[in-house]
Amino acid sequence: MSARQEILQVHNLTVSFSNRDEEVIAVNGVSFTICEGEKLAMVGESGSGKSVTALSLARLLPTPPALYRSGQILWLGEDVLQMDSSRLRRVRGKGIAYIFQEPSTSLNPVLTIGFQIEEALALHRPDVSDRREEVIRLLREVGIPSPELRYRAYPHELSGGMQQRVMIAMALACRPKLLVADEPTTALDTTVQAQIMELLRKITAKEAMAVLFITHNFGLVKDFADRTMVMFRGKIVEQGPTRDILHNPSHPYTQALLSCVPRLGEHKKRLATIDYDQLELAMSQP
Amino acid sequence: MSSSQVPILEVQNLKVYFPIRSGLFRRTSGWIRAVDDVSFRLRKGTTTGLVGESGSGKTTIGRAILRLIPITSGKIFYEGKEIVSLSSKEFRPYRKKIQMVFQDPYNSLNPRLTIEQTIGEALEIHFPQLNRRQRRDRIAELLNKVGLKAEHMDRYPHEFSGGQRQRIGIARALAVEPDLLVCDEPVSALDVSVQAQIVNLLMDLQAELGLTYLFISHDLALVEHISDMVLVLQSGKLVEAAPAEEIYRNPRHPYTQKLLEAVPKL
Amino acid sequence: MRDRLLVRFFLRPRALTAASLLFFLYFLALFAPFLAPYEPSSQALGETFHPPNRIFWANGGFRVQLYRNVDPTAAEYRPIPGKSVPLKWLVHGFRYRFLGILPCDLHLFGVDPPVRIYLLGSDSTGRDVFSRLLYGARVSLSIGLVGVTLTTGLGLLVGGLAGYFGGIWDSLAMRTSELLMAIPGLYLLLALRAAFASHFSSDQMYFLILIILSLIGWSSPARIFRGLVLSLREMPFIQAARVLGLSPWRILWRHLLPNLLSYLFVSSTLSIPGYILGEAALSFLGIGIQEPSASWGLMLAQAQDIKVFALNFWWLLTPGVAIALTVICFNVLGDALRDAVDPRMELQTR
Amino acid sequence: MMTFILRRILALIPLLLGVTALAFLLMSLAPGDFLTPIKAQRDVDPQYIARLEQDFGLKRPWYIQYFYWLRNVLGGDFGYSWTYKVPVLELLWQRAPATVLLNLCSLLFAWSLAIPLGVLSAMYKDSWLDRFTSFVAYLSLSIPEFFLGLLAVFLAARTGWFPIGGLTSLEHELFPPVLRILDVLWHLVLPTLALGVGGIAGILRIMRATVLDVIRAEYVMTARAKGLPERVIFFRHILRNAISPVLSSIGYVFSGLLSGSLLVENVFNYPGLGQLIYSAFLRKDQFLVLGSIVISCLLLVLGNLLSDLLLAWNDPRIRYER
Amino acid sequence: SPGIRPERKACPLPAEPEVWSGRQGKPGGVFVDTVPGEPNTFNWLVSEDATSASFLGLLFDGLTSWDPVREKVIPALARSWEVGPDNQTFTFHLRKGLRWSDGIPLTADDVLFTFQCLYDPRYPNRYGLEFTVKGKPFLVEKVDQWTVRIRTPGIFAPFLRNVGDLPIMPRHILETAWENGTLQKQWTVSDAQRHPERLVGTGPYRIRSYRPGERIVLEPNPCYWKVDLHGVRLPYIDFLITRFVKDQNASLIAFASGQTDAESIAPDQVGWVQRLAPIHHFRIYDRGPSTSSTFLWFNQNPGRNKDGKPFVDPVKLRWFTDRRFRQAISYAIDREGMVRGVLFGRGAPLWGPESPANTKWYNPNVKKYPYNPSQALALLAEAGFVRGDDGVLRDSRGNVVQFTLLTNQENPLRTAMATVIKENLKAIGIEMELQFLDFGALVNKIADSYDYEACLLGLTGGGDPADGMSVFLSKGRLHQWYPNQPHPATPWEARIDELMEKQLSTLDEAVRKKCYDEVQEIMSEELPFIYLVTPNAYAGLKERWYNIDVPKIGSIVWNLDRLWTP
Ligand SMILES: Nc1ncnc2c1ncn2[C@@H]1O[C@H](COP(=O)(O)OP(=O)(O)OP(=O)(O)O)[C@@H](O)[C@H]1O
Ligand SMILES: Nc1ncnc2c1ncn2[C@@H]1O[C@H](COP(=O)(O)OP(=O)(O)OP(=O)(O)O)[C@@H](O)[C@H]1O
Ligand SMILES: [Mg+2]
Ligand SMILES: [Mg+2]
């Protein structure tokens, strides 16, 4: 693992939001790295700062209200937070591509999916001569049946699972080095979720893409990620190989969180819950 | 749970169709068969899980039982009494017995009413004999029961987190002392940790009050945790109904198998 | 929630300014008889189109410059050098009822008759524009409030019931509103007024106009409220109320209405200017409030005479300033309210 | 789509019946009729008046008059204007182009100013530009349009920079074609301004609000994440989504065509429908009034249809079935 | 001015042209003026409004014409005429060689045709009163190609003047339409727009083009029957452009900014327009008092409506029918103040039906009621009214004196006067309500339902006493205070009836004048109409025009056929 090249290094990133009078720190001194082709998962409860961290990587948060308080985000050695807009645009899409949680709102409703993919293609791979052909190829690759017809379809004409496939195709169109998937399956059915995860696994393997996979579903983490980070209240409380985190969680929060996940095969059993007072107590005395 | 008990609710050949209108005169040109010939029984004091993928008709069944939508055909018996044919006035007493917990904790409480008003309203209707003091006491008791504090009574919904709101929703349903609770994906919008709290709460309440649940969810692992019986729904049709242990150990219908396979395992 | 809303709202300096200005204007209207030196209909045929008197400070008191009419055929006035009278406070003048109850003849300021003081000049029959402006404020400022109350009330009733109960009532209400919207509003107004005006005296005309405006106006709020109710009706908390067995009326009253209130409030504020401008437009066409009553619209309509511009009787345009000011204030207020309540709230066009 | 349009047109029939019946009723309620002014002239033979009353059918109850009118309309005959003794349709047809021209111009003017300004003030929310435009919007909302018109007329009269009314110069017929067009445009400037200014504020506000909304949308984030330049994001992704509410306002514009520009046409002595219909109303020239009401209903429905079609064209999610 | 000139096609001059002997001018020039509203038709049979009439005057001529400056009947299509000894037979001699504007000769047949149309029962028209005596039509016969004889069934004073009002119509154009019953649908505005050449007339101008809603352009009639001393055919003006404007205000703006050539100016506007005269080179003529009158009357109709309810509250009717009450009101009204305030000092109080402008018929000896509130109160006291300590006037039975005054809302001067009257009456303790209605509703009340108390209205006067028949006769339609009386209600009304009938049936001007003088005196004594003020009339005209001859009454540019500009 260490032999691989590190494409992204995040040092001590702190992001806050200012709302008129008060300032909320959403991400507090986060540091991590991602290597080429690595599949990294980020878990944590709702509001723990996962999305904010992810969006910060390509400086996608609108800057008021967000504020990058401190830290560095080194993309191939260059600080994203200091880039001018043209350099930044080259990082976005071509360097880091995104898939969001809600596919129905992430696609522009008034443009055909073909056009939206082609747009990315035209921007980042101008050398492709027959773009339409390439888009259809991509659509086929993500498993959309009869892509020639779907090329002209509008997002609302597709089901949620299809829409998410289109999002993946769009990300693929740029051939990014890093794919950030922010809860890509939360809005979907379990059966569809399984299909999408399968697709992601297949494609990242083929293209040798690094993936930052955000979720709160440990089941998916287990099957997908090489490495896992656990976020809690804006901080990364634990990170390491997925296997270790799942089977040997060292941090009390990770332990607590894992315990309240319902598992198959446990019939009529009370679920464990997190007692935050105890958790804080445990965290204050390492 | 012994199977000899009388079913508290029996649904026979329930059909709920929604018309598809089209053409010049908006004629009904077809039907969405949201629920198509579904029959099942709920036994008193047990939890029945209702699973199926999105759009399979789970919510529709729940709403049909509560008469929130008109049904196309079929019969529903509550403790042996047919309730579909009742007028809305005759149905009133059953409103006290069947209650519902909604999926979306953010929209299921009226933002303009305090918690006291929200829950008090239910009491006013079904326990008109209570005076204001008694009502407040009862509300405090209910809040305690769902793990909230009495002083939360005078607050407005937006002052609570999602999990807390879901508890209020449960308290409101419990206020009328129902026998049957239809829970339409009560925890889908919540975080795993909060989800665990709510599920535990529901199980505790069942133990304490002997409630019957129809628990709608698409999380099979969760359903396994809480249910005695599981009903599997596919595009409006009931494809499998069996005791929970049975279904998870030995799914018979291919659709059930597919659903189970898709659950990511830890 | 409500108090936070108010705080959020009053934190905006613009909104605060607008609110206090409006408060001030309504105050003026309420105390018009006390503040006005003359009755709004009191004429001075020898002093038509008198310019505003200059007021200056001398020997420890305000003094009012006097003018002479040098050319009656063009209403040209020149100050008479060295001639002035003292401005007096709390003088006795025409009789009126203070706040509509107490008989009284005290006025904030004035000069000794036969000299008259024109703070904002005089009009074509020598009436004091300032006094008329104050009295006119009563019409113009109240027509908005009352009109909006009537229209929104009617719209809420029709739209709310149509939306909640649906079915035949819904179709009936919506067809009626379409009918009203299909006839060009101005013409409907003309026709209604022509049909009923001859039974009313000019004082009653105010109410007639109000009733006509709201008869025409209810349809668009009704449609909006219907839409809102339709979407609210499907909200889980309304469903929950139904599951609890609440009666439809109670649901309407306790659950739907309060949730419409903020919209109601904002949209009312934003549509008040429409009434003020509507009255002005009606008066412009000669079918609004009538002489000798005063309203800003009527005064402005009378100032449309080209000689007002040509002879620089600028003071006759002050009602225009008053209208603009009020309308701006209401708009600022409405926008601020909307931002405070829900910035995404659907906007209405004029 | 055809069924959609057809349905709209079918829905028009009861509407037209209702509206025209209401119009007849109201006109009969109002005291006086077309002949009233003639009655006030001093050298008119009373027998003559009686004869005219007979001829015009004014002595019949309104519903009978309405019935006859309806029967004629079904035969394609909208009746004669009593004032002008000319078929109503001919009269309306003659005046319509000028009104449509004026309204189109003011729409164009209002849109071409309000849309960019609304967008800019949303993009640079709370900047001085935003403050300034909102101030201008408030101002334009608060000046009655007839008053604006009067100011404009006075300005024109004072300076001579613009003609003070009408649609063409006296020498219009003698001009070469290019000059003729310029002449008409020249005459349109002030009425367009007076009519358009009021519309700016409304559209500007809508535009600003929707752009603020759209800017926050996730697909804009997606577009940005693709690395698209801001300009492209703006024109391709924001504008088209934000324009929908403005398109839906077209419906109102059309329905307001007849009465909306009345005040302005009045002030500028503009040879459009507004003046014609207004005076027909005052004179109780029944058939002209009814004809114009029918036209205005048609315009309303047409406008709504147009805006629905435009909306559907702009936004594929909106289907015709509704 | 455009390079285009109208084609003054060489149509041969009539053998007997009217030779105009004034200052000779030179052809050319464009004359621009305005009219409020738009013509409704160019067919005199159906024409009702003033705007249409003003165009008909330019496009058509009658047998005679009226010179408003010299106030006499002058020859027109008829070069001369004779009156028979019975004072009922008139023989008109048409000018030889007259031609219609399309070049076709005009003969006695056209005159006969015109009368034929006039009396045709298929074509009801408003000329009934002007061309009948006691309901009987005139007898019209053709003597020869150039001579027409007309007999009136009785002596008819205004005959010669009325004949001038009747435009002679071209038989060759309209006969077919007359035959097939479509005469009323001829010569509509749309004919004028599409086929101006079909509107064939004898007047000084013909239609060149017509843009609806904007303007009408007239050009000289190439066959006109007037020439100047040098044999140049009139009119001189190349193009006569009339712009349609919404109202007086718009018209005035156009004139004051130098865009039109002529304008009549209201007294309150003179002040500022005068200032622009040097810039735009126009002159404002003071024509003295105008003929338009404003008056107020009380409803004295004792009748009852269909439900048996009296039109006027009997208590009030008692006041209104009391002459002293009416005189008191007249004394209480400050006419001087109205003139000073409302009319900018440019007007005069009016005491009787005719204003001084009508020099021929005006009677200066009518009774006058200068502003005098105490005189008013004295008269009221005499009539039993009492003014209490609270300042309120009550009648002898203790009824508070109050009533509602109607007027039409379209006229700002009138509404201003109404407010003045309200203030004036307040000063003597009478509370008067005002109600402003649109003209239609107002006329409905005063002419149909009689459901009103008092009304303020005006009439443009200035004509012949014959024009006032419907007003003064007790059975008249416009005898507003109590119209259509079966029998005269009062002795003085009976006397007026008698005088009016008498003046109508004599051709002796002196007798007529005497009768009418007495009518005026009775009116001012009895005050059924309380006359208020008459504004002065002003006319603005561009200085570049010559041969201007401004009359006291009527259109300022009545002689458009000889205006010219260097
Ligand atoms: N635009 C914003 N303005 C203010 N606060 C924000 C904004 N966006 C996020 N936050 C705050 O930042 C914190 C982290 O939010 P974030 O969206 O990263 O959570 P998350 O871990 O992605 O949660 P979830 O699992 O629900 O998506 C939250 O407390 C949230 O309230
Ligand atoms: N009011 C309605 N009108 C028309 N069709 C409806 C209506 N309500 C539901 N349906 C249709 O009925 C079917 C079943 O819907 P239902 O909401 O019961 O599904 P569900 O199983 O609850 O799905 P989810 O898991 O997404 O909540 C769907 O196809 C839906 O489109
Ligand atoms: Mg997130
Ligand atoms: Mg559901």
Side-chain angles (χ1 to χ4, degrees), chain D residues 32 42 57 64 91 99 111 136 140 145 152 163 174 176 188 208 219-220 233 266 277 292:
Chain D
R42 57 180 174 184
I64 304 281
L91 217 53
T99 294
W111 282 24
V136 171
S140 76
E145 59 190 25
L174 310 174
L188 272 169
R208 180 172 180 273
Y219 54 79
V220 174
I233 294 178
N266 205 352
I277 298 173
S292 64

Side-chain angles (χ1 to χ4, degrees), chain E residues 152-368:
Chain E
T152 59
I155 297 180
F156 190 56
F159 175 79
L160 280 175
R161 210 178 154 174
N162 284 3
V163 160
D165 286 348
L166 184 69
I168 302 302
M169 304 312 275
R171 192 173 82 149
H172 67 282
I173 302 276
L174 295 175
E175 191 162 28
T176 15
W178 170 73
E179 272 163 7
N180 61 28
T182 59
L183 190 57
Q184 280 169 319
K185 297 192 175 157
Q186 300 302 310
W187 290 7
T188 62
V189 282
S190 64
D191 289 333
Q193 287 150 22
R194 293 208 213 110
H195 313 287
E197 71 286 351
R198 286 195 203 153
L199 272 75
V200 167
T202 50
Y205 293 94
R206 62 176 185 181
I207 298 175
R208 180 186 175 91
S209 69
Y210 180 174
R211 283 181 79 89
E214 289 197 84
R215 75 183 84 88
I216 192 162
V217 179
L218 304 183
E219 61 184 3
N221 173 0
C223 304
Y224 193 49
W225 43 273
K226 279 191 195 171
V227 292
D228 67 9
L229 278 175
H230 295 74
V232 176
R233 195 194 292 264
L234 299 181
Y236 294 125
I237 293 171
D238 266 354
F239 294 107
L240 181 59
I241 302 180
T242 305
R243 296 184 12 187
F244 309 133
V245 293
K246 172 195 55 155
D247 59 11
Q248 210 54 47
N249 220 353
S251 173
L252 190 61
I253 294 174
F255 178 74
S257 55
Q259 301 184 23
T260 57
D261 288 288
E263 178 68 28
S264 60
I265 303 169
D268 54 332
Q269 308 284 3
V270 173
W272 69 271
V273 179
Q274 185 77 63
R275 294 183 191 174
L276 296 169
I279 303 171
H280 296 299
H281 310 287
F282 54 74
R283 206 184 127 191
I284 295 185
Y285 297 83
D286 184 347
R287 306 165 77 188
S290 70
T291 56
S292 73
S293 57
T294 312
F295 49 84
L296 139 81
W297 76 88
F298 293 100
N299 187 354
Q300 300 188 37
N301 197 329
R304 288 163 182 274
N305 64 15
K306 284 194 287 293
D307 309 332
K309 209 178 133 264
F311 294 134
V312 189
D313 177 2
V315 173
K316 296 187 178 177
L317 187 66
R318 219 172 26 248
W319 312 334
F320 297 161
T321 48
D322 188 333
R323 183 182 70 205
R324 289 164 300 186
F325 177 79
R326 301 194 296 266
Q327 288 181 337
I329 300 288
S330 189
Y331 276 121
I333 295 174
D334 181 8
R335 295 177 176 79
E336 293 293 342
M338 279 185 195
V339 169
R340 194 170 56 235
V342 181
L343 301 178
F344 278 66
R346 300 174 189 269
L350 188 67
W351 312 111
E354 287 304 334
S355 92
N358 199 354
T359 36
K360 187 164 169 192
W361 299 104
Y362 173 65
N363 178 1
N365 301 321
V366 292
K367 181 161 181 188
K368 302 188 174 63

Side-chain angles (χ1 to χ4, degrees), chain B residues 232-253:
Chain B
V232 182
L233 213 56
Q234 184 191 18
S235 37
K237 292 202 164 63
L238 204 58
V239 294
E240 191 161 1
E245 288 137 287
E246 182 73 30
I247 236 171
Y248 286 90
R249 205 175 327 119
N250 185 14
R252 272 195 221 111
H253 197 273

Side-chain angles (χ1 to χ4, degrees), chain C residues 43 73 200 305-307, chain E residues 249 268-269 344 346 419 435:
Chain C
Q43 300 175 333
T73 61
F200 295 91
D305 190 338
I306 180 72
K307 69 172 176 271
Chain E
N249 220 353
D268 54 332
Q269 308 284 3
F344 278 66
R346 300 174 189 269
T419 62
Q435 193 179 5

Side-chain angles (χ1 to χ4, degrees), chain D residues 2 13-14 25 37-38 44 66 86 88 91 116 137 139 150 155 185 234 257 268 279 283 287 297 300 304 315 319:
Chain D
M2 264 335 275
I13 293 171
L25 173 68
I38 301 176
V44 184
Y66 179 58
V86 170
V88 164
L91 217 53
L139 210 63
L150 284 172
L155 177 94
L185 289 181
F234 173 72
L257 215 61
F268 285 98
S279 60
R283 288 182 192 159
F287 298 144
C297 284
L300 178 83
N304 281 337
D315 188 341
R319 275 171 301 157

Side-chain angles (χ1 to χ4, degrees), chain C residues 202-281:
Chain C
S202 76
D203 294 340
Q204 291 165 323
M205 202 56 80
Y206 171 75
F207 294 99
L208 181 68
I209 288 174
L210 267 176
I211 289 169
I212 294 179
L213 280 177
S214 46
L215 259 182
I216 296 177
W218 65 266
S219 53
S220 83
R223 293 179 86 85
I224 293 171
F225 285 125
R226 173 179 170 269
L228 286 175
V229 169
L230 274 181
S231 65
L232 269 181
R233 198 172 67 166
E234 298 303 319
M235 291 289 272
F237 69 87
I238 300 288
Q239 305 265 353
R242 286 173 68 191
V243 167
L244 282 179
L246 300 191
S247 70
W249 291 106
R250 197 184 158 101
I251 294 179
L252 268 175
W253 179 247
R254 236 173 116 83
H255 292 270
L256 279 176
L257 193 64
N259 282 291
L260 290 176
L261 270 184
S262 56
Y263 179 83
L264 205 74
F265 201 52
V266 173
S267 76
S268 310
T269 318
L270 282 175
S271 57
I272 286 178
Y275 286 86
I276 296 175
L277 293 173
E279 186 267 325

